Amino acid sequence: MERWRDRLALVTGASGGIGAAVARALVQQGLKVVGCARTVGNIEELAAECKSAGYPGTLIPYRCDLSNEEDILSMFSAVRSQHSGVDICINNAGLARPDTLLSGSTSGWKEMFNVNVLALSICTREACQSMRERKVDDGHIININSMCGHRVPPPAETHFYSATKYAVTALTEGLRQELREARSHIRATCISPGVVETQFAFKLHDKDPEKAAATYEHMKCLKPEDVAEAVIYVLSTPPHVQIGDVQMRPTEQVT
């Protein structure tokens, strides 16, 4: 990880869960981290914690609504003017709504698609442009995917979400191919966790907190820090090694 010290990583959805754990881990490794989310109060608290702990890196909170392309472009413009540009882009932000294929709302589908697919694609495009215009040839795009991007679980409320994560699988491999065609050494990786104990289920089942809690009660789940460790592993591999996908589940998870 020494070669990444003092370089800049963008982490989307950094206000909690996996995003916050990844941001903290990168700051511990000495990186400058721009952590973005729609609300930045939690990121500001995490930045203060990192500073008081004496971590060698810095966490910079940035308010950004990832469902709004203008917000994303403004964020990349600010990063360019204040910090030169992005060397690592961690597309972590994602959400699920309980909108089934037979009766779900179009607005719920759009909300998932806009963040899980379009925002990820826009951030990837802008990050790669930032790298290439600065002749950065060892940058890294890491997409926090899901095991739902590799198989479709039976619960109906996860089916559209699974479709967005299958898209992430395809987008990551497509990006790898386009970068090879461009003779770039920028790398593209998916990390696909199973059940991680975060607020994810409580947002999915926001009208049924008991069902949300039950998601995490029947097994020892992954922790956000487990996923953050996978991110550090992927970044720490030598530049000639490209990890395509890290699939990780709780040992007790069945599917």
Side-chain angles (χ1 to χ4, degrees):
M1 288 296 291
E2 188 60 35
R3 69 190 175 91
W4 293 115
R5 188 174 283 263
D6 296 325
R7 297 179 70 179
L8 191 130
L10 170 68
V11 180
T12 68
S15 60
I18 293 171
V22 170
R24 181 194 296 273
L26 293 174
V27 172
Q28 286 175 319
Q29 295 289 338
L31 280 82
K32 285 189 291 187
V33 179
V34 173
C36 78
R38 276 181 294 188
T39 56
V40 295
N42 288 352
I43 307 175
E44 289 170 345
E45 289 179 14
L46 179 58
E49 286 177 28
C50 290
K51 185 174 182 180
S52 65
Y55 296 156
T58 309
L59 177 56
I60 304 150
Y62 195 95
R63 183 177 288 104
C64 180
D65 179 359
L66 290 165
S67 65
N68 183 328
E69 182 175 10
E70 289 184 4
D71 257 27
I72 298 173
L73 298 181
S74 175
M75 174 175 65
F76 274 91
S77 178
V79 170
R80 182 184 298 111
S81 63
Q82 297 170 27
H83 308 285
S84 78
V86 172
D87 301 308
I88 298 167
C89 180
I90 314 253
N91 287 307
N92 164 74
L95 60 94
R97 301 300 305 150
D99 290 283
T100 67
L101 301 182
L102 292 180
S103 59
S105 70
T106 305
S107 62
W109 294 343
K110 284 182 176 178
E111 189 179 1
M112 286 184 271
F113 188 81
N114 284 342
V115 175
N116 299 4
V117 180
L118 281 184
L120 175 145
S121 299
I122 296 166
C123 287
T124 296
R125 180 190 67 202
E126 297 302 310
C128 286
Q129 288 180 2
S130 172
M131 295 171 198
R132 297 177 76 183
E133 71 189 13
R134 293 176 297 120
K135 304 286 192 293
V136 170
D137 197 40
D138 66 342
H140 211 134
I141 308 292
I142 298 178
N143 294 326
I144 305 300
N145 196 354
S146 168
M147 286 303 301
C148 289
H150 301 281
R151 83 284 187 272
V152 181
E157 63 266 25
T158 65
H159 289 163
F160 195 94
Y161 171 77
S162 293
T164 68
K165 290 302 185 175
Y166 266 82
V168 172
T169 301
L171 289 166
T172 308
E173 173 58 14
L175 175 64
R176 187 193 70 81
Q177 293 181 17
E178 289 189 27
L179 289 168
R180 287 312 311 128
E181 188 177 353
R183 299 188 180 279
S184 170
H185 291 86
I186 297 168
R187 297 183 290 175
T189 301
C190 263
I191 296 178
S192 302
V195 179
V196 185
E197 191 170 356
T198 64
Q199 289 298 304
F200 181 88
F202 290 94
K203 292 174 182 174
L204 171 60
H205 305 296
D206 54 358
K207 294 181 173 61
D208 192 347
E210 288 186 8
K211 185 175 182 179
T215 304
Y216 305 126
E217 287 173 353
H218 67 285
M219 64 178 156
K220 185 173 177 59
C221 302
L222 297 179
K223 301 293 185 186
E225 291 74 19
D226 298 322
V227 183
E229 285 183 12
V231 169
I232 298 300
Y233 163 69
V234 165
L235 287 171
S236 66
T237 56
H240 71 282
V241 176
Q242 175 148 253
I243 307 295
D245 197 340
V246 177
Q247 296 185 21
M248 54 192 298
R249 298 177 173 91
T251 304
E252 298 173 0
Q253 184 173 340
V254 176
T255 59

